[in-house]
């Protein structure tokens, strides 16, 4: 089965200030390659500064790569075609509260991407908004609410609704489950798995929580200083890590859990 998302030799370097003539650069992400299938979840793990966030920005088109290409369904994603990226690859961030404009109703927040990316009539957009809210476990009445009227879990569901409303194929979860309490996190994970099954979504989970990674992902990549140091099936990597950096991450998380 061909991959839904295929990344080849993707890298990102930034010029260092004060070295204009010598052209010194900081390599945030070395050339990396990987693929993700529909209905599957790939986890990207690593410490702060490992290149996780840089990779996410490159995938959604927020940054231009230094090298490499991204293919979706075998077609190259064009860097300058933001509408194409926006429609097919969506992102959910860690703190859903800060990404929701407090001056807009939930209806207005969900209507925004539809106005920009579709030719649907107002009646069709309203119907789709109601359907999408139901899909993520909210009521149609929540259309008229403002973000401050919702709980943390409801805000995360609105962020999810905004991510799926354009019927994307890939969703990037950038620490999107980190700030939720365990019971709420479990609910959102189950909801994500249901949506994945219904819509054939591929998820890219960026997380430092190996418990979530173990429960939620099929495959994983371990990044260190912008390089892939280990990759494979999640259970294989976590149960038999080959690289010392992976072992360090697992040990560090185990020690943290023992202390808490």
């Amino acid at each position: 089965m061909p991959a839904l998302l295929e990344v080849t030799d993707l890298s990102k370097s930034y010029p260092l200030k004060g070295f204009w003539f010598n052209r010194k650069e900081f390599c945030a992400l070395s050339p990396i390659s990987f693929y993700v299938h529909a209905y599957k979840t790939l986890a990207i793990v690593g410490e702060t500064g490992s290149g996780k966030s840089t990779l996410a920005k490159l995938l959604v088109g927020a940054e231009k790569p230094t090298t490499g290409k991204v293919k979706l369904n075998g077609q190259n994603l064009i860097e300058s075609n933001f509408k194409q990226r926006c429609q097919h690859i969506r992102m959910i961030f860690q703190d859903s509260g800060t990404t929701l404009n407090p001056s807009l109703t939930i209806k207005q927040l969900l209507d925004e991407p539809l106005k920009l990316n579709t030719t649907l009539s107002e009646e069709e957009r309203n119907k789709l908004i109601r359907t999408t809210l139901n899909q993520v476990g909210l009521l149609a009445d929540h259309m008229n609410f403002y973000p401050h009227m919702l709980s943390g879990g409801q805000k995360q569901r609105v962020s999810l609704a905004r991510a799926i409303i354009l019927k994307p194929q890939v969703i990037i979860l950038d620490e999107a489950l980190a700030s939720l309490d365990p019971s709420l996190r479990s609910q959102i994970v189950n909801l994500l798995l249901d949506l994945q099954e219904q819509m054939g979504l591929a998820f890219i989970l960026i997380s430092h929580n190996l418990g979530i990674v173990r429960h939620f992902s099929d495959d994983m990549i371990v990044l260190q200083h912008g390089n892939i140091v280990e990759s494979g099936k999640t259970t294989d990597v976590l149960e038999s890590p080959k690289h010392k950096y992976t072992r360090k991450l697992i040990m560090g998380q185990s020690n943290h859990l023992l202390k808490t």
Side-chain angles (χ1 to χ4, degrees), residues 1-251:
M1 189 169 91
L4 174 63
L5 183 77
E6 190 176 354
V7 172
T8 308
D9 294 328
L10 200 65
S11 74
K12 182 65 180 179
S13 295
Y14 298 94
L16 288 172
K17 290 179 181 177
F19 294 96
W20 181 252
F21 295 108
N22 291 333
R23 286 288 188 182
K24 291 202 174 180
E25 292 182 324
F26 165 67
C27 180
L29 191 71
S30 297
I32 66 169
S33 301
F34 63 87
Y35 57 85
V36 194
H37 288 287
Y39 299 98
K40 297 293 182 182
T41 300
L42 172 69
I44 312 286
V45 303
E47 295 174 323
T48 302
S50 61
K52 304 190 304 292
S53 295
T54 301
L55 174 59
K57 288 174 187 172
L58 293 173
L59 292 175
V60 295
E63 294 266 12
K64 287 189 175 182
T66 304
T67 67
K69 56 189 177 183
V70 179
K71 282 186 176 181
L72 189 70
N73 288 319
Q75 301 294 314
N76 280 326
L77 290 178
I78 302 160
E79 287 172 28
S80 57
N81 192 338
F82 295 110
K83 191 171 181 178
Q84 181 194 35
R85 290 273 180 134
C86 186
Q87 194 147 10
H88 296 299
I89 303 178
R90 306 287 286 172
M91 192 180 230
I92 304 175
F93 298 93
Q94 177 174 354
D95 190 352
S96 54
T98 59
T99 61
L100 302 176
N101 189 327
S103 63
L104 299 180
T105 64
I106 303 309
K107 177 185 172 182
Q108 290 170 318
L109 285 166
L110 297 181
D111 201 25
E112 226 170 15
L114 294 178
K115 281 181 178 176
L116 290 169
N117 296 284
T118 74
T119 56
L120 297 174
S121 67
E122 185 178 356
E123 186 180 339
E124 289 169 329
R125 294 198 310 271
N126 286 340
K127 184 179 178 183
L128 182 53
I129 289 168
R130 285 193 291 270
T131 302
T132 307
L133 286 172
N134 288 331
Q135 265 187 295
V136 299
L138 293 172
L139 302 172
D141 288 350
H142 283 117
M143 285 171 68
N144 305 313
F145 284 40
Y146 286 89
H148 75 271
M149 300 164 73
L150 302 175
S151 67
Q154 287 173 323
K155 286 177 187 174
Q156 197 66 302
R157 288 172 190 266
V158 170
S159 291
L160 182 53
R162 189 168 57 176
I164 68 168
I165 201 161
L166 290 175
K167 307 275 191 295
Q169 297 177 71
V170 179
I171 291 182
I172 300 170
L173 303 157
D174 189 4
E175 298 285 6
L177 305 166
S179 60
L180 303 176
D181 66 66
S183 63
L184 192 52
R185 186 187 299 147
S186 179
Q187 289 175 33
I188 297 295
V189 166
N190 289 334
L191 173 59
L192 287 166
L193 291 171
D194 285 344
L195 290 170
Q196 187 175 50
E197 193 60 37
Q198 290 168 29
M199 301 174 69
L201 292 165
F203 289 130
I204 294 178
L205 172 69
I206 295 173
S207 181
H208 64 274
N209 187 315
L210 297 181
I212 296 173
V213 167
R214 181 187 291 274
H215 178 63
F216 189 45
S217 68
D218 302 287
D219 302 278
M220 68 183 285
I221 285 171
V222 183
L223 280 182
Q224 182 187 29
H225 304 314
N227 294 285
I228 295 177
V229 295
E230 190 158 359
S231 64
K233 294 290 179 191
T234 299
T235 49
D236 294 343
V237 173
L238 291 179
E239 287 172 15
S240 304
K242 304 283 190 296
H243 197 277
K244 61 182 181 181
Y245 178 71
T246 311
R247 291 196 289 270
K248 177 189 164 190
L249 289 177
I250 294 169
M251 187 66 72

